[in-house]
Tab-separated table of all heavy atoms in Angstrom:
chain	number	residue	atom	x	y	z
O	457	ILE	N	120.928	88.727	70.231
O	457	ILE	CA	120.419	89.262	71.494
O	457	ILE	C	119.121	90.014	71.233
O	457	ILE	O	119.082	90.942	70.432
O	457	ILE	CB	121.447	90.195	72.158
O	457	ILE	CG1	122.750	89.423	72.446
O	457	ILE	CG2	120.883	90.773	73.451
O	457	ILE	CD1	123.864	90.296	72.983
O	458	GLU	N	118.045	89.580	71.879
O	458	GLU	CA	116.752	90.240	71.740
O	458	GLU	C	116.465	91.094	72.971
O	458	GLU	O	116.932	90.812	74.073
O	458	GLU	CB	115.633	89.205	71.564
O	458	GLU	CG	115.620	88.557	70.202
O	458	GLU	CD	114.282	87.890	69.914
O	458	GLU	OE1	113.328	88.098	70.691
O	458	GLU	OE2	114.204	87.166	68.911
O	459	ASP	N	115.672	92.137	72.764
O	459	ASP	CA	115.260	92.980	73.880
O	459	ASP	C	114.425	92.169	74.867
O	459	ASP	O	113.786	91.174	74.502
O	459	ASP	CB	114.433	94.166	73.382
O	459	ASP	CG	115.274	95.141	72.560
O	459	ASP	OD1	116.506	95.161	72.753
O	459	ASP	OD2	114.690	95.863	71.734
O	460	THR	N	114.412	92.621	76.089
O	460	THR	CA	113.607	91.963	77.110
O	460	THR	C	112.128	92.079	76.753
O	460	THR	O	111.661	93.171	76.442
O	460	THR	CB	113.845	92.622	78.482
O	460	THR	OG1	115.242	92.642	78.741
O	460	THR	CG2	113.137	91.861	79.582
O	461	PRO	N	111.373	90.953	76.753
O	461	PRO	CA	109.941	91.048	76.464
O	461	PRO	C	109.265	92.078	77.357
O	461	PRO	O	109.563	92.195	78.548
O	461	PRO	CB	109.440	89.626	76.771
O	461	PRO	CG	110.628	88.756	76.510
O	461	PRO	CD	111.811	89.570	76.965
O	462	GLU	N	108.355	92.823	76.763
O	462	GLU	CA	107.745	93.960	77.445
O	462	GLU	C	107.048	93.574	78.735
O	462	GLU	O	107.098	94.305	79.727
O	462	GLU	CB	106.741	94.631	76.502
O	462	GLU	CG	106.179	95.922	77.055
O	462	GLU	CD	105.251	96.591	76.064
O	462	GLU	OE1	105.736	97.275	75.156
O	462	GLU	OE2	104.039	96.402	76.204
O	463	ILE	N	106.410	92.398	78.742
O	463	ILE	CA	105.670	92.002	79.946
O	463	ILE	C	106.610	91.843	81.132
O	463	ILE	O	106.247	92.118	82.274
O	463	ILE	CB	104.873	90.697	79.703
O	463	ILE	CG1	103.946	90.428	80.900
O	463	ILE	CG2	105.797	89.519	79.446
O	463	ILE	CD1	102.996	89.283	80.698
O	464	LEU	N	107.853	91.434	80.879
O	464	LEU	CA	108.819	91.310	81.971
O	464	LEU	C	109.230	92.679	82.480
O	464	LEU	O	109.360	92.901	83.684
O	464	LEU	CB	110.054	90.536	81.509
O	464	LEU	CG	109.813	89.121	80.966
O	464	LEU	CD1	111.148	88.442	80.691
O	464	LEU	CD2	109.000	88.298	81.954
O	465	MET	N	109.422	93.618	81.569
O	465	MET	CA	109.803	94.976	81.970
O	465	MET	C	108.696	95.619	82.791
O	465	MET	O	108.952	96.406	83.697
O	465	MET	CB	110.107	95.826	80.749
O	465	MET	CG	111.265	95.301	79.907
O	465	MET	SD	112.808	95.164	80.835
O	465	MET	CE	113.161	96.886	81.152
O	466	ASP	N	107.439	95.266	82.474
O	466	ASP	CA	106.319	95.842	83.209
O	466	ASP	C	106.197	95.263	84.611
O	466	ASP	O	105.734	95.924	85.534
O	466	ASP	CB	105.004	95.598	82.463
O	466	ASP	CG	104.904	96.436	81.203
O	466	ASP	OD1	105.663	97.417	81.098
O	466	ASP	OD2	104.090	96.110	80.330
O	467	GLU	N	106.603	93.984	84.764
O	467	GLU	CA	106.336	93.302	86.017
O	467	GLU	C	107.529	93.269	86.972
O	467	GLU	O	107.360	93.057	88.163
O	467	GLU	CB	105.895	91.847	85.722
O	467	GLU	CG	104.609	91.742	84.915
O	467	GLU	CD	103.403	92.283	85.664
O	467	GLU	OE1	103.505	92.513	86.879
O	467	GLU	OE2	102.357	92.488	85.035
O	468	ILE	N	108.747	93.417	86.469
O	468	ILE	CA	109.923	93.341	87.319
O	468	ILE	C	110.238	94.728	87.881
O	468	ILE	O	110.369	95.693	87.133
O	468	ILE	CB	111.136	92.808	86.541
O	468	ILE	CG1	110.860	91.377	86.052
O	468	ILE	CG2	112.388	92.808	87.393
O	468	ILE	CD1	111.928	90.825	85.153
O	469	ASP	N	110.363	94.824	89.190
O	469	ASP	CA	110.633	96.116	89.817
O	469	ASP	C	112.013	96.635	89.422
O	469	ASP	O	112.184	97.779	89.056
O	469	ASP	CB	110.536	95.985	91.340
O	469	ASP	CG	109.112	95.739	91.798
O	469	ASP	OD1	108.200	96.138	91.054
O	469	ASP	OD2	108.928	95.139	92.858
O	470	GLN	N	113.028	95.768	89.509
O	470	GLN	CA	114.372	96.167	89.119
O	470	GLN	C	114.592	95.810	87.644
O	470	GLN	O	114.450	94.647	87.268
O	470	GLN	CB	115.427	95.465	89.985
O	470	GLN	CG	115.395	95.894	91.445
O	470	GLN	CD	114.341	95.151	92.234
O	470	GLN	OE1	113.962	94.065	91.865
O	470	GLN	NE2	113.870	95.755	93.311
O	471	ARG	N	114.981	96.781	86.854
O	471	ARG	CA	115.183	96.526	85.430
O	471	ARG	C	116.562	95.908	85.208
O	471	ARG	O	117.420	96.472	84.559
O	471	ARG	CB	115.054	97.839	84.656
O	471	ARG	CG	113.748	98.569	84.881
O	471	ARG	CD	112.568	97.762	84.390
O	471	ARG	NE	111.307	98.410	84.675
O	471	ARG	CZ	110.708	99.288	83.879
O	471	ARG	NH1	111.292	99.677	82.777
O	471	ARG	NH2	109.546	99.814	84.208
O	472	PHE	N	116.767	94.724	85.792
O	472	PHE	CA	118.100	94.128	85.786
O	472	PHE	C	118.367	93.242	84.575
O	472	PHE	O	119.459	92.712	84.423
O	472	PHE	CB	118.339	93.319	87.066
O	472	PHE	CG	117.316	92.244	87.314
O	472	PHE	CD1	117.420	91.001	86.712
O	472	PHE	CD2	116.254	92.484	88.166
O	472	PHE	CE1	116.487	90.017	86.946
O	472	PHE	CE2	115.304	91.502	88.408
O	472	PHE	CZ	115.426	90.257	87.791
O	473	ILE	N	117.379	93.058	83.715
O	473	ILE	CA	117.569	92.205	82.536
O	473	ILE	C	117.864	93.082	81.324
O	473	ILE	O	117.036	93.891	80.905
O	473	ILE	CB	116.336	91.323	82.283
O	473	ILE	CG1	116.078	90.418	83.486
O	473	ILE	CG2	116.535	90.475	81.030
O	473	ILE	CD1	114.866	89.522	83.332
O	474	LYS	N	119.050	92.933	80.753
O	474	LYS	CA	119.446	93.723	79.578
O	474	LYS	C	118.861	93.164	78.298
O	474	LYS	O	118.624	93.888	77.335
O	474	LYS	CB	120.971	93.745	79.458
O	474	LYS	CG	121.671	94.551	80.527
O	474	LYS	CD	123.174	94.375	80.460
O	474	LYS	CE	123.766	94.847	79.135
O	474	LYS	NZ	125.243	94.731	79.137
O	475	GLY	N	118.671	91.859	78.242
O	475	GLY	CA	118.177	91.218	77.025
O	475	GLY	C	118.270	89.715	77.157
O	475	GLY	O	118.679	89.172	78.197
O	476	ILE	N	117.882	89.029	76.081
O	476	ILE	CA	117.905	87.568	76.046
O	476	ILE	C	118.773	87.123	74.876
O	476	ILE	O	118.529	87.517	73.728
O	476	ILE	CB	116.487	86.971	75.876
O	476	ILE	CG1	115.508	87.609	76.871
O	476	ILE	CG2	116.534	85.461	76.025
O	476	ILE	CD1	115.796	87.346	78.321
O	477	ALA	N	119.810	86.338	75.173
O	477	ALA	CA	120.654	85.778	74.112
O	477	ALA	C	120.092	84.430	73.706
O	477	ALA	O	119.756	83.597	74.555
O	477	ALA	CB	122.094	85.622	74.605
O	478	LYS	N	119.963	84.207	72.403
O	478	LYS	CA	119.352	82.966	71.921
O	478	LYS	C	120.311	82.224	71.008
O	478	LYS	O	121.119	82.814	70.291
O	478	LYS	CB	118.051	83.266	71.178
O	478	LYS	CG	118.241	84.184	69.973
O	478	LYS	CD	116.932	84.540	69.317
O	478	LYS	CE	117.189	85.431	68.096
O	478	LYS	NZ	115.977	85.826	67.412
O	479	PHE	N	120.202	80.912	71.028
O	479	PHE	CA	120.974	80.032	70.163
O	479	PHE	C	119.968	79.147	69.433
O	479	PHE	O	119.448	78.186	70.003
O	479	PHE	CB	121.951	79.174	70.978
O	479	PHE	CG	122.956	79.975	71.751
O	479	PHE	CD1	122.618	80.562	72.966
O	479	PHE	CD2	124.240	80.156	71.269
O	479	PHE	CE1	123.538	81.303	73.688
O	479	PHE	CE2	125.171	80.895	71.986
O	479	PHE	CZ	124.823	81.467	73.192
O	480	ASP	N	119.666	79.499	68.173
O	480	ASP	CA	118.584	78.833	67.451
O	480	ASP	C	118.803	77.337	67.290
O	480	ASP	O	117.865	76.551	67.284
O	480	ASP	CB	118.400	79.467	66.064
O	480	ASP	CG	117.948	80.913	66.179
O	480	ASP	OD1	117.492	81.289	67.269
O	480	ASP	OD2	118.071	81.651	65.184
O	481	GLU	N	120.064	76.916	67.148
O	481	GLU	CA	120.333	75.511	66.865
O	481	GLU	C	119.969	74.617	68.042
O	481	GLU	O	119.570	73.473	67.867
O	481	GLU	CB	121.809	75.292	66.517
O	481	GLU	CG	122.288	76.035	65.276
O	481	GLU	CD	122.606	77.501	65.549
O	481	GLU	OE1	122.547	77.911	66.736
O	481	GLU	OE2	122.898	78.226	64.592
O	482	THR	N	120.106	75.116	69.270
O	482	THR	CA	119.900	74.280	70.452
O	482	THR	C	118.739	74.744	71.331
O	482	THR	O	118.464	74.134	72.355
O	482	THR	CB	121.174	74.273	71.310
O	482	THR	OG1	121.468	75.622	71.711
O	482	THR	CG2	122.352	73.710	70.537
O	483	ASN	N	118.045	75.800	70.934
O	483	ASN	CA	116.984	76.395	71.748
O	483	ASN	C	117.491	76.870	73.108
O	483	ASN	O	116.721	77.033	74.054
O	483	ASN	CB	115.819	75.411	71.943
O	483	ASN	CG	114.972	75.284	70.698
O	483	ASN	OD1	114.921	76.209	69.896
O	483	ASN	ND2	114.324	74.156	70.529
O	484	ARG	N	118.783	77.097	73.219
O	484	ARG	CA	119.373	77.592	74.458
O	484	ARG	C	119.136	79.091	74.574
O	484	ARG	O	119.248	79.817	73.583
O	484	ARG	CB	120.868	77.293	74.456
O	484	ARG	CG	121.655	77.822	75.648
O	484	ARG	CD	123.136	77.556	75.410
O	484	ARG	NE	123.971	78.076	76.487
O	484	ARG	CZ	125.298	78.140	76.417
O	484	ARG	NH1	125.925	77.721	75.316
O	484	ARG	NH2	125.998	78.621	77.431
Side-chain angles (χ1 to χ4, degrees):
I457 300 175
E458 286 198 10
D459 292 336
T460 307
E462 187 177 278
I463 189 173
L464 302 186
M465 299 302 293
D466 289 342
E467 298 295 347
I468 298 174
D469 291 335
Q470 294 83 25
R471 304 297 176 88
F472 56 83
I473 300 179
K474 290 172 61 177
I476 311 296
K478 59 184 181 180
F479 299 80
D480 295 343
E481 298 80 5
T482 60
N483 285 334
R484 176 186 178 190

